Amino acid sequence: MHISEGLLSAPVLIAGAAMAVSGTAIGYRKLNYERIPQVAVLSAAFFIATLVHVPIGPSNVHLILNGLMGLLLGWVAFPAILVGLLLQVVLFQYGGLTSLGVNTVVMALPAVACFYMFRAGVRNEKTAICLFSAFLCGFISVLLGSVLVALALVFTGEAFLAAAKVIVIAHVPIMIIEGIISAACIRFLKKVKPEILEVIYAD
Amino acid sequence: MPIKRKRGGAVHHLNFGVMTILGLLFFSHIPALAHKVYIYAWLEGDTVYTESYFGAKKKVKQGLIHVFDLSGQRLLEGRTNEKGEFSFKPPLLTDLRIVVEAGMGHRGEFVLKAEKSSVHLGLETIQDVTGEGNRISSDPVSTDEMQIRMIVEQALDARLKPVIRELVEIRKEKGPGFIEIIGGIGYILGFMGLILYFKSRDKAGRQ
């Protein structure tokens, strides 16, 4: 899901960078002093998650964890993902510095969207509803991310529907895996410290 | 005050949970990588060989290869086979920029320098293209000498093949290593410290 350098046209890169800056500014303003270590730990998890390669299907897919980040961080997912991606560019040469903005939006925007879509479901007292919401959150965040990649690539000449189809199909295994991971994490948090989610959503 | 303690405890537990995931992810990490496409090119005889791959075991199948000179002029293009390989005879002896497009926003490139590759090229090719060494080419070279030269070239190529292959394997980019991964986490902790510092100064300033 990391778009390489030299593929996207200038308007797409500039629009992506502008959106990433706005999202990061909103996230930074919402960042509480007490939650900074938690954001850093999730950012580190994101940084490493992309190294986990899932050998399913013909394509190369990897964990993204953006759904989980959205669920636990809300708008703060923007700066957390930006930092993770920046380090991936600098240290691993994944993506590129010019496409950093677009890549941040591709992963962080679905995270924020999923935060608003599923926070009510995750707080639900019924475990089944809560876990299903968390699963959907992981699933849909990757789905939205894939659609955004296809959208960014449209301007490079790839036909949107064809590109979107290929990218979405390639990411289906990872959508399911991310869904399961998100549900497992939420279950763990509910068991260990149920009020934690209340603290997160109280902001 | 009790509320404050509750918040701290919750954050602590969340961190513990995430740390566990982080640890699991870290130790389950497989060297095969997903989203960067690598391309490596080398010259054997008069043919340029390329290999495109995502990770140690995952090759780029049917990836589009473009070959440019450094001025950006496209010389040729083709597709990789099932093993991620593509080979071609360069039409010009010049620095080559070889780009692979593996779809879904994956793109990698490699620059093959002419001066490095010319070592393996037959003498005639170098003289023809660069225009240097006219003295030799204008000399009447006997057919025998030419034949001997060709035989030596072929024998050398055959001998050097495994060595070149081994060099190729060594010089290929392997993706992030342990140091880069640990370094990245270190940077994140550093950023955390910086932000904590600035936010705590804000906090102190407000009080």
Side-chain angles (χ1 to χ4, degrees):
Chain A
M1 208 169 259
H2 296 61
I3 300 175
S4 307
E5 220 150 8
L7 267 175
L8 299 174
S9 56
V12 179
L13 293 173
I14 293 166
M19 284 168 79
V21 167
S22 319
T24 305
I26 298 171
Y28 187 78
R29 228 181 293 151
K30 284 183 182 275
L31 182 57
N32 288 342
Y33 185 79
E34 288 79 15
R35 286 184 60 194
I36 293 171
Q38 176 205 336
V39 177
V41 170
L42 274 165
S43 189
F46 172 81
F47 171 73
I48 289 183
T50 50
L51 297 175
V52 181
H53 171 248
V54 183
I56 301 176
S59 180
N60 281 273
V61 283
H62 56 86
L63 289 185
I64 303 162
L65 290 191
N66 59 340
L68 185 65
M69 290 187 79
L71 214 48
L72 296 180
L73 297 177
W75 276 97
V76 185
F78 256 98
I81 286 176
L82 178 69
V83 167
L85 280 175
L86 175 70
L87 290 169
Q88 285 171 359
V89 172
V90 175
L91 297 170
F92 309 159
Q93 289 82 48
Y94 288 172
L97 273 179
T98 53
S99 53
L100 182 62
V102 175
N103 284 333
T104 305
V105 173
V106 159
M107 295 181 218
L109 201 60
V112 176
C114 284
F115 169 74
Y116 286 113
M117 274 194 270
F118 298 106
R119 62 175 171 174
V122 169
R123 288 169 84 182
N124 197 298
E125 286 187 1
K126 285 185 184 155
T127 315
I129 294 178
C130 163
L131 292 185
F132 187 62
S133 303
F135 176 85
L136 277 183
C137 178
F139 189 96
I140 289 182
S141 61
V142 179
L143 177 68
L144 288 178
S146 314
V147 174
L148 284 178
V149 170
L151 204 61
L153 290 177
V154 167
F155 298 95
T156 65
E158 289 195 42
F160 173 66
L161 274 179
K165 221 169 151 184
V166 172
I167 296 170
V168 168
I169 289 172
H171 283 85
V172 166
I174 212 71
M175 288 174 204
I176 297 167
I177 291 167
E178 293 256 338
I180 294 169
I181 288 178
S182 302
C185 285
I186 294 296
R187 186 161 184 240
F188 175 79
L189 290 176
K190 278 225 161 181
K191 252 187 185 171
V192 175
K193 207 82 181 171
E195 69 268 25
I196 193 163
L197 298 170
E198 297 302 322
V199 173
I200 290 165
Y201 300 129
D203 292 335
Chain B
M1 271 328 269
I3 298 167
K4 188 133 187 143
R5 205 164 56 232
K6 194 172 147 192
R7 279 178 72 101
V11 169
H12 174 78
H13 273 274
L14 174 61
N15 283 348
F16 174 75
V18 176
M19 276 294 205
T20 315
I21 302 165
L22 197 68
L24 282 174
L25 290 180
F26 189 77
F27 289 108
S28 66
H29 125 251
I30 314 158
L33 293 166
H35 36 278
K36 186 184 179 196
V37 56
Y38 301 93
I39 178 165
Y40 191 80
W42 70 99
L43 203 108
E44 270 180 51
D46 58 353
T47 307
V48 174
Y49 290 86
T50 71
E51 211 176 297
S52 310
Y53 51 101
F54 293 104
K57 289 174 189 157
K58 203 81 183 174
K59 308 294 181 199
V60 178
K61 293 170 187 170
Q62 296 298 314
L64 196 59
I65 302 263
H66 302 283
V67 182
F68 301 94
D69 62 14
L70 287 194
S71 66
Q73 196 194 341
R74 180 150 55 191
L75 303 177
L76 57 99
E77 63 178 50
R79 282 195 182 272
T80 59
N81 64 13
E82 292 300 295
K83 289 179 183 165
E85 297 164 349
F86 174 72
S87 57
F88 60 92
K89 290 193 186 213
L92 288 172
L93 184 73
T94 172
D95 292 348
L96 298 174
R97 193 160 65 86
I98 306 167
V99 175
V100 58
E101 281 179 17
M104 291 200 269
H106 294 138
R107 183 178 185 275
E109 66 174 61
F110 185 85
V111 174
L112 187 66
K113 292 277 182 195
E115 65 264 28
K116 275 190 192 167
S117 52
S118 61
V119 176
H120 308 294
L121 275 178
L123 267 175
E124 296 83 351
T125 324
I126 300 171
Q127 289 154 11
D128 287 351
V129 177
T130 59
E132 287 169 12
N134 285 336
R135 193 182 52 79
I136 303 172
S137 58
S138 58
D139 281 348
V141 181
S142 70
T143 328
D144 285 351
E145 201 182 322
M146 285 289 284
Q147 274 176 345
I148 292 169
R149 204 181 272 170
M150 274 178 72
I151 292 166
V152 170
E153 283 279 332
Q154 280 169 0
L156 268 178
D157 274 350
R159 268 289 167 86
L160 286 175
K161 207 169 183 171
V163 181
I164 292 172
R165 288 273 166 173
E166 201 158 316
L167 276 178
V168 166
E169 286 304 316
I170 292 168
R171 293 191 57 183
K172 266 183 188 174
E173 280 184 88
K174 292 287 193 306
F178 190 69
I179 293 167
E180 282 90 351
I181 297 166
I182 294 292
I185 295 171
Y187 272 109
I188 292 173
L189 292 180
F191 286 138
M192 179 184 90
L194 269 179
I195 295 174
L196 277 172
Y197 172 69
F198 284 114
K199 290 246 173 184
S200 73
R201 274 180 36 156
D202 286 355
K203 229 179 166 185
R206 258 186 259 128
Q207 274 168 4

